Amino acid sequence: MLKITPEEKTALKGRGFILTSDGEHFIARIVPDSAFIQTKGLQAIVDAANQYGSGEIALTSRMTLEVQGIPYENIEPFNAAIEAAGYVTGGTGGKVRPVVCCKGTVCVHGLVDTRKLSQEIHEKFYIGWHEVRLPHKFKIGIGGCPNNCIKPQLNDFGIFGQKVPKYDPDDCNGCKKCSVIDVCPMNACSIDDDGIMQIDKSLCNNCGKCTSACNFDCIEVEKEGYAVTLGGIWGKTQRIGTRVPGVFTHDELLSIIEKCILLYREQGKTGERFGRSVDRIGVENFIQQLLSDDVLDRKQEILDAQLHLTGGAKC
């Protein structure tokens, strides 16, 4: 059995080297930017896994790579090898975690460039806020549309691409066969008693399918942007993320992420998942704070302050 102190074990885990159940070997969690790894870099990781580990690589549920079977004495040589290829280990602890995105950039259903947004959030919040300690881990998931392929609403902060339709029933030509109804996956479109197509906004999820379906261009795009959910949890207990009302622009989205992290640091308690903090504070109260700019005025004060301790699980 490997002889290391609890402090060494914690420090190594903070760097992305996690002791396995055999008590002798480590896995190394590779941190990609936005879930993309160039083939040249992948080959370097494979070579390092063969030379310093067991030659096995596992895929995590958050689309990162974990190199298996690294002996303690090989940790630093392995780390040097992947750093030379432009990659690092990490992605653990009570902080912003690596961002996960779907393939919305190239997917036929994608409404936003998920890879570009993911890289931007990775640089701004995973790297830029890397030293900011939070009450618990904070995961961000980006979906290019409402299809939920990577389940953004089960992340602490979920993002969905949105395309809001603009439609005036007075423009409808009353086609006997409505092409819009045929493409709507939510059954939000229907024909009324006068033969005019209507959209039920309570059912519409802003997937954008209808905006290019009408043969007479009766439906336009009113707004393109992002929907946001807060406080998703997937683990021993679950919580579906709470939808924040509205569709947000790119700049509004980045501001909301920043304010969300600041509020979590200020009002969350150590060991408390973000969703539990939101519930304790009150959903309406939290969203009201989130949509104001007051928290930005306290930014430096919040970053300088100590976290609230509860005696619960440590980050």
Side-chain angles (χ1 to χ4, degrees):
M1 186 69 68
L2 180 65
K3 302 293 184 181
I4 61 173
T5 66
E7 292 76 18
E8 285 181 286
K9 180 180 175 181
T10 299
L12 285 169
K13 184 176 181 181
R15 294 173 54 196
F17 292 95
I18 304 168
L19 188 63
T20 59
S21 57
D22 69 3
E24 296 183 0
H25 295 86
F26 292 80
I27 60 173
R29 184 173 295 171
I30 307 297
V31 179
D33 60 342
S34 72
F36 285 86
I37 295 179
Q38 299 295 328
T39 54
K40 182 179 180 181
L42 183 60
Q43 185 61 59
I45 294 170
V46 169
D47 292 342
N50 286 328
Q51 184 171 359
Y52 302 111
S54 65
E56 298 175 309
I57 298 176
L59 294 172
T60 74
S61 61
R62 289 182 60 80
M63 299 189 289
T64 57
L65 303 178
E66 288 184 345
V67 176
Q68 309 291 300
I70 300 176
Y72 177 78
E73 61 271 16
N74 284 356
I75 287 177
E76 297 309 330
F78 173 86
N79 196 54
I82 63 161
E83 282 189 351
Y87 292 95
V88 296
T89 57
T92 60
K95 58 184 68 177
V96 177
R97 293 292 184 87
V99 184
V100 172
C101 72
C102 74
K103 60 176 184 178
T105 301
V106 297
C107 178
V108 294
H109 302 294
L111 304 178
V112 297
D113 189 340
T114 51
R115 181 177 183 181
K116 181 179 179 181
L117 179 63
S118 180
Q119 288 175 322
E120 183 175 11
I121 293 175
H122 176 88
E123 292 287 337
K124 186 174 179 64
F125 295 106
Y126 176 73
I127 295 178
W129 290 58
H130 194 67
E131 300 305 319
V132 176
R133 186 186 173 197
L134 300 176
H136 211 296
K137 56 191 172 186
F138 190 84
K139 298 178 178 179
I140 300 173
I142 304 172
C145 75
N147 280 357
N148 299 326
C149 292
I150 61 109
K151 304 174 180 63
Q153 76 277 28
L154 296 180
N155 285 257
D156 298 281
F157 194 97
I159 302 168
F160 304 80
Q162 295 276 273
K163 186 177 286 188
V164 182
K166 180 181 180 181
Y167 171 64
D168 185 345
D170 290 340
D171 295 332
C172 180
N173 291 314
C175 300
K176 291 184 178 180
K177 181 173 176 57
C178 178
S179 56
V180 174
I181 290 178
D182 289 342
V183 302
C184 178
M186 301 302 294
N187 296 319
C189 303
S190 61
I191 301 296
D192 66 16
D193 293 338
D194 296 323
I196 301 301
M197 195 271 290
Q198 302 288 345
I199 298 178
D200 185 342
K201 287 291 189 179
S202 68
L203 296 177
C204 177
N205 66 0
N206 301 324
C207 71
K209 297 295 184 184
C210 66
T211 59
S212 59
C214 179
N215 295 323
F216 296 94
D217 299 324
C218 289
I219 304 179
E220 301 175 353
V221 178
E222 180 175 343
K223 184 177 183 179
E224 294 184 73
Y226 307 91
V228 167
T229 59
L230 305 176
I233 299 173
W234 187 255
K236 295 182 181 68
T237 59
Q238 296 84 42
R239 182 187 189 280
I240 301 298
T242 300
R243 172 74 182 268
V244 179
V247 174
F248 303 98
T249 66
H250 171 270
D251 291 346
E252 289 171 337
L253 173 67
L254 295 182
S255 177
I256 287 174
I257 296 174
E258 180 174 17
K259 289 187 287 185
C260 201
I261 296 171
L262 287 170
L263 286 169
Y264 184 33
R265 177 174 168 80
E266 179 186 50
Q267 300 177 30
K269 296 180 179 181
T270 300
E272 181 179 62
R273 287 297 301 270
F274 176 55
R276 304 306 175 204
S277 297
V278 171
D279 288 336
R280 175 176 53 79
I281 294 165
V283 172
E284 291 185 6
N285 181 9
F286 190 90
I287 292 177
Q288 184 177 11
Q289 293 184 70
L290 188 66
L291 297 181
S292 74
D293 289 328
D294 293 347
V295 65
L296 297 178
D297 297 333
R298 305 193 305 275
K299 178 175 179 178
Q300 197 56 51
E301 177 185 343
I302 292 170
L303 294 177
D304 291 341
Q306 296 293 316
L307 292 176
H308 299 284
L309 300 177
T310 64
K314 296 183 178 180
C315 299

